[in-house]
């Protein structure tokens, strides 16, 4: 059966982002015990794979690179209906930028799902928002990619009509063969996890792999293998300003309009 | 002792919370207005697995058990106490059928009750007897291949949606001359059955509460549940173990709903130039709500866990029910206090929590009756 691979990223639950803060010295994100959830767009990606499973009997494999305590988020993907999950988890992988992440995920896919027909990703992760990983995975695996996917029609399970939504224009593409797709939230409404799924997920394979298990080039993984670094991370300060414009009503009105023009409000 | 919920239970909480947000929240306003249970929800509750929590897989359930049920009802009740009530009483029909039913009864009724085709009801209370079970007047007599039931039940949750009703009626006297009762499985399509009034309640609006009327109602002989004379045991065990733990979980859900709304409002409401959450008087109320909610939750989880371990737990169930429903009311009261005048306005859900919590107190047995049970326990054991 054809196999779909879904890349899933555990992120701090966006519902609790008001509890996030930055360490002013190190610039490291303080998570403050916020629960981890599947990056919301990744659930839309998983839904596509699960529909291919329901309609055409595909197999669905979930892959992720994350700390070991995030297995629960992968279990959730299994509970939604995926068949198996692989988690690359290793201290050596920590601090990876998008390129090192994509290299690692591509290595995991080569090792565990080399015959994939489709790799599905969210168009971006809500916590990183780079949108780089999916195209980079495609690069490492030598397959084409389509991003901003807002619609997929799986005609016969072989040829796919894919809509790429560029906001100003829509591109409709027809595709056959192995491909990486990065989807937007418009693509579908992900199914809910049901209780039978939770019970079934406990019996499904979930394997945690180390860097060594994946035959990776150690110079390309983790922080050391990352060509980019975050120089500074800061919360923009949004301050209210108050200014009192004095004068005759006509003058004040004119001055106000000028000022509003200056700051681009009019 | 291990207070950590398993990965399974955590995932269950998360998925039921998502279900509640997606499928129940949009219905609440209409339920408040009409007082009617949204029938479209039954199938969805079946699909997600809520209806089969205490039913074995061989009869279509998932058998996740009572702790899982406590978590699920809590999450549902956080967004709608009414749906929490309807769901918990539904389990009060499933459980006695699986526990005392014949193989034929289980095969006939349980799959329908778990797959989302219909809800169940468990109707014991009568105008002449809520707390006083020996005051029940409804009778059943054998006639040919039927039991003929006569009488009137009131306060039946799910009255106007349920297609499977577990009920109790007098079938004679025991050796001491006290009334003896038997339990039956009734379908609304049986001749002589009719629906009576539908109550208009101040709380749990959107869960049906109504009368069931048996007027020479012909119940096939094979629908006797358990043995003749076992009805009170079946009824009381169901109320104690399923009904009380279920109401406790509804209470816990309401406690946490109040906690979340109170905290949110306190952080948003600005007075004297600062959020009122900066005022210690408000923090004290939030601390009180938190303490009440946690107490309710852990007593409820303990009782449910004991049920899963097949330990005797009637006392713990009664304690959990008493504390959780009374605490739900206190939590809602405090949340309303924090809201000031806004607590009176329907856009703010705290007034609904207050109404639901109030109605939760007599449901499944009044607090006084719970204290009678607990008082007896204390005198005997301490
Ligand atoms: C929303 C809702 C849903 C319900 N759903 C169901 C259902 O699905 N199925 C069902 O069978 N029933 C149901 N009930 C009925 C519920 O179980 C009864 O209301 C409850 O048992 C109390 O009975 P009562 O209303 O007749 O009050 P009564 O028994 O008349 O009580 C009146 C007062 O006397 C007190 N009292 C009674 N006996 C004693 C005693 N021995 N010592 C001290 N005080 C005492 C009570 O605490 C109360 O203060 C529901 C009730 C409500 C409100």
């Amino acid at each position: 059966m054809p196999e779909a691979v879904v890349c899933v990223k555990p992120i701090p639950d966006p519902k609790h982002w008001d509890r996030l803060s930055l360490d002013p010295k190190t610039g490291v994100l303080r998570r403050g015990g916020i629960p981890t959830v599947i990056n919301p767009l990744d659930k839309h990606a998983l839904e596509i794979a699960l529909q291919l499973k329901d309609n055409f009997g595909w197999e669905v494999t979930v892959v992720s690179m994350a700390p070991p305590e995030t297995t629960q988020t992968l279990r959730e993907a299994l509970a939604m209906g995926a068949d198996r999950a692989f988690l690359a988890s290793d201290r050596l992988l920590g601090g990876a930028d998008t390129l090192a992440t994509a290299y690692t995920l591509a290595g995991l896919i080569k090792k565990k799902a080399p015959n994939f027909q489709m790799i599905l990703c969210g168009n971006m992760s809500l916590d990183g928002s780079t949108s780089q990983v999916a195209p980079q995975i495609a690069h490492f695996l030598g397959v084409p990619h389509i991003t901003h996917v807002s619609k997929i029609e799986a005609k016969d399970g072989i040829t796919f009509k894919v809509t790429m939504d560029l906001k100003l224009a829509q591109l409709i593409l027809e595709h056959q063969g192995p491909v990486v797709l990065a989807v937007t939230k418009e693509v579908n409404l992900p199914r809910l996890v049901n209780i039978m799924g939770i019970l079934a997920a406990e019996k499904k394979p979930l394997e945690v792999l180390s860097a060594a298990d994946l035959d990776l080039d150690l110079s390309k993984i983790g922080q050391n293998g990352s060509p980019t670094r975050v120089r500074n991370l800061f919360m923009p300060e949004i301050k209210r300003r108050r200014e009192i414009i004095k004068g005759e009503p006509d003058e004040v009105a004119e001055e106000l309009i000028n000022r509003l023009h200056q700051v681009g409000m009019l | 002792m291990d207070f950590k919920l398993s990965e399974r239970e955590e995932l269950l909480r998360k998925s039921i919370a998502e279900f509640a947000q997606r499928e129940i929240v949009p219905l609440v306003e209409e339920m408040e207005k009409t007082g009617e249970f949204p029938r479209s929800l039954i199938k969805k509750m079946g699909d997600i697995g809520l209806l089969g929590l205490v039913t074995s897989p061989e009869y279509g359930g998932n058998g996740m058990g009572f702790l899982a049920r406590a978590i699920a009802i809590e999450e549902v009740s956080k967004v709608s106490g009414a749906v929490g009530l309807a769901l918990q009483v539904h389990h009060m029909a499933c459980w006695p059928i699986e526990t005392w039913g014949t193989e034929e009864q289980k095969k006939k009724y349980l799959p329908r009750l778990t797959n989302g085709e219909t809800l169940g009801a468990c109707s014991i209370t009568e105008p002449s007897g809520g707390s006083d079970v020996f005051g029940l007047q409804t009778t059943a007599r054998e006639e040919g291949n039927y039991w003929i039931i006569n009488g009137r039940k009131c306060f039946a949750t799910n009255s106007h949606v349920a297609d499977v009703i577990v009920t109790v009626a007098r079938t004679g006297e025991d050796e001491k001359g006290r009334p003896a009762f038997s339990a039956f499985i009734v379908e609304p399509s049986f001749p002589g059955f009719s629906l009576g009034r539908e109550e208009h309640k101040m709380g749990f609006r959107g869960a049906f509460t109504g009368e069931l009327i048996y007027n020479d109602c012909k119940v096939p002989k094979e629908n006797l549940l358990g043995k003749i004379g076992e009805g009170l045991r079946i009824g009381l065990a169901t109320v104690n173990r399923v009904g009380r733990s279920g109401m406790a979980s509804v209470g816990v859900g309401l406690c946490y709903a109040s906690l979340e709304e109170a905290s949110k409002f306190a952080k948003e409401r600005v007075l004297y130039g600062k959020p009122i959450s900066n005022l210690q008087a408000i923090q004290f109320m939030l601390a009180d709500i938190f303490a009440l909610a946690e107490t309710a939750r852990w007593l409820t989880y303990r009782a449910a866990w004991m049920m899963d371990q097949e330990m005797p737990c009637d006392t713990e169930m009664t304690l959990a029910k008493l504390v959780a429903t009374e605490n739900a009311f206190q939590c809602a009261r405090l949340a309303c206090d924090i809201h000031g005048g806004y607590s009176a306005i329907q856009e703010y859900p705290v007034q609904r929590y207050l109404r639901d919590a109030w109605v939760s107190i007599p449901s499944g047995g009044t607090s006084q009756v719970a204290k009678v049970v607990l008082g007896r326990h204390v005198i005997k054991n301490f």
Side-chain angles (χ1 to χ4, degrees), chain A residues 53 74-85 195-207, chain B residues 7-8 11 57 61-64:
Chain A
K53 176 178 165 142
L74 292 187
R75 195 66 73 187
E76 183 179 354
L78 295 173
M80 277 175 77
D83 297 302
R84 64 188 74 83
I195 294 172
M196 291 65 79
I198 294 174
L199 294 174
E202 291 173 0
K203 298 192 191 81
K204 293 179 181 174
L206 193 169
E207 197 182 329
Chain B
E7 193 177 77
R8 175 196 285 197
L11 195 48
N62 51 67
M64 252 207 182

Side-chain angles (χ1 to χ4, degrees), chain B residues 85 88-90 92 120-133 136 153-159 166 201 203-204 207-210 239 244 247 356 358-372 376:
Chain B
L85 171 71
Q88 89 88 357
V89 173
H90 164 82
M92 290 175 72
C122 179
S123 175
I124 299 167
T125 306
E126 296 179 13
S128 56
S131 311
D132 173 16
V133 281
L136 298 179
K153 297 280 174 184
C154 61
F155 281 118
T157 303
N158 295 339
S159 54
V166 171
K201 303 189 297 300
F204 289 145
F208 279 115
T209 306
V239 169
R244 297 219 167 116
M247 278 325 295
D356 286 354
W358 180 251
V359 180
S360 79
I361 293 173
S363 313
T366 64
S367 289
Q368 290 73 29
V369 167
K371 286 178 189 174
V372 168
R376 265 193 226 127

Side-chain angles (χ1 to χ4, degrees), chain B residues 281-292:
Chain B
I282 299 289
Q283 289 173 7
F284 277 19
M285 286 198 272
L286 291 172
D288 282 337
I289 300 175
F290 185 45
L292 290 162

Side-chain angles (χ1 to χ4, degrees), chain B residues 172-321:
Chain B
E173 287 179 353
D174 66 9
E175 58 284 2
K176 290 183 193 155
R178 292 180 308 189
F181 299 88
S182 302
F184 301 90
I185 305 170
V186 178
E187 295 181 43
S189 57
F190 290 167
F193 178 93
S194 60
L195 291 169
R197 42 180 288 152
E198 185 192 316
E199 307 297 349
H200 298 287
K201 303 189 297 300
M202 69 177 273
F204 289 145
R205 292 190 58 75
F208 279 115
T209 306
E211 283 183 333
L212 309 177
I213 296 165
Y214 304 108
N215 192 357
D216 281 336
C217 177
K218 277 174 88 174
V219 176
K221 267 227 160 116
E222 63 268 19
N223 277 34
L224 173 75
L225 181 61
K227 296 196 191 77
I228 297 178
E230 248 189 340
L232 207 54
R233 213 181 109 216
I234 294 174
L236 290 181
T238 304
V239 169
N240 277 335
R241 293 180 209 163
V242 192
R244 297 219 167 116
S245 62
M247 278 325 295
S249 301
V250 173
V252 175
L254 291 170
C255 286
Y256 280 90
S258 291
L259 180 66
E260 284 178 15
E261 282 305 312
S263 171
K264 187 168 130 217
F265 186 86
K267 286 188 271 190
E268 282 170 8
R269 175 73 170 151
V270 173
L271 293 177
Y272 319 107
K274 283 190 189 130
I276 58 169
S277 57
N278 283 25
L279 299 171
Q280 211 171 42
I282 299 289
Q283 289 173 7
F284 277 19
M285 286 198 272
L286 291 172
D288 282 337
I289 300 175
F290 185 45
L292 290 162
E294 287 284 295
T295 316
R297 176 184 270 174
W298 288 104
L299 282 174
T300 301
Y301 286 2
R302 177 185 63 166
W305 175 85
M306 288 174 78
M307 183 78 184
D308 284 334
Q309 310 305 312
E310 296 178 17
M311 293 161 74
C313 56
D314 285 355
T315 309
E316 287 77 9
M317 288 288 181
T318 306
L319 184 60
K321 192 278 171 186

